[in-house]
Amino acid sequence: MLAETICSAVSAAGLGIAAVAAYRKRFLTATRIAAYSLVPIGLVLTGVVEWVAGIAFHPSVWLGFGVLGLSWLLFMTTRAIERRSGTTRAERKAARAAGRNEALAPGASAPSLGAGGGAGPAATAAKPQSKPKKKQEAAASGDDFSDIEAILKKHGI
């Protein structure tokens, strides 16, 4: 009853302000103020205000909000712990799948024999690649300096 009276008073005051704005030839502003001032009375007439007032004074409703808050807190706590541990659901699923197919390499059709002593073809393929890597690193550092030189020349330094 009190909420309906307050909403009616707010609507009446808003319509009064809209009338003053219209009297001052500010019709767009007056229309906007009138629209805003009709919202509270519309909420009273539809019953929304009574429904909200009924919810606010029932202890069971507040208990329900408390349970929802606790649920949200538990969800956020588990997410925080999961992020701190560094594992996600996808990582754990991949780890389980890797545990089942431990003997198979990702692209292999047959089981691998494990880590070798270096006598296999993989060990010989790794040795020639070490020299080009050093050359690539040296070239990359030279490229970095040429980029810096180009920037300095561009600015006239």
Side-chain angles (χ1 to χ4, degrees):
M1 180 78 172
L2 179 65
E4 289 87 357
T5 305
I6 292 172
C7 287
S8 299
V10 167
S11 291
L15 289 174
I17 294 170
V20 170
Y23 179 75
R24 294 183 180 176
K25 307 284 188 214
R26 295 182 180 167
F27 297 111
L28 186 62
T29 304
T31 306
R32 188 173 296 127
I33 292 171
Y36 279 123
S37 66
L38 290 174
V39 169
I41 197 71
L43 292 173
V44 167
L45 293 174
T46 57
V48 172
V49 174
E50 184 180 337
W51 176 74
V52 170
I55 286 176
F57 297 115
H58 281 89
S60 61
V61 172
W62 288 106
L63 183 65
F65 281 125
V67 169
L68 288 175
L70 177 65
S71 173
W72 177 81
L73 183 67
L74 291 174
F75 277 125
M76 291 302 115
T77 303
T78 57
R79 283 189 62 137
I81 291 171
E82 190 174 64
R83 283 183 183 166
R84 270 199 188 164
S85 67
T87 60
T88 63
R89 191 177 299 167
E91 291 173 347
R92 289 192 306 267
K93 189 175 182 181
R96 273 188 255 125
R100 282 187 235 132
N101 299 330
E102 195 172 311
L104 289 178
S109 60
S112 62
L113 299 175
T124 57
K127 288 180 184 178
Q129 290 178 355
S130 62
K131 291 179 184 177
K133 283 185 184 179
K134 289 180 183 176
K135 289 179 184 177
Q136 288 173 355
E137 289 174 8
S141 65
D143 289 341
D144 290 340
F145 289 121
S146 64
D147 291 342
I148 294 171
E149 289 175 5
I151 293 169
L152 291 173
K153 286 179 184 176
K154 179 181 174 185
H155 292 287
I157 298 175

